[in-house]
Amino acid sequence: MGSQRILGIVLLVVGVALLIMGVNASHSVADQVTHTFTGRFTDGTTWYILGGLVSAVLGAVMLAVGIRGKGA
């Protein structure tokens, strides 16, 4: 297993974990109150969700490129 594939798996797992943490944080009382008055989530919740999305997508792309490159 190549280092690119391992890094892709790690990024995908970290991305999913950050997404789960962000979604859970968005359901907290403090975040719901902030969302009610401002229409936005807190900065921390937003960064968890964005970081999770970027990490998960990058990891999935690295895995796809690693698999496609190995099959060719």
Side-chain angles (χ1 to χ4, degrees):
M1 185 179 296
S3 61
Q4 181 179 354
R5 189 167 177 182
I6 292 171
L7 183 59
I9 291 169
V10 169
L11 284 172
L12 188 60
V13 169
V14 168
V16 169
L18 285 173
L19 277 171
I20 291 170
M21 288 173 57
V23 169
N24 284 338
S26 72
H27 295 298
S28 70
V29 173
D31 226 336
Q32 290 296 319
V33 170
T34 301
H35 184 63
T36 300
F37 289 112
T38 65
R40 298 184 212 167
F41 293 115
T42 60
D43 288 342
T45 300
T46 303
W47 282 114
Y48 278 130
I49 293 172
L50 288 176
L53 282 172
V54 169
S55 180
V57 168
L58 186 59
V61 167
M62 289 180 77
L63 282 173
V65 168
I67 291 171
R68 190 180 68 198
K70 191 162 192 139

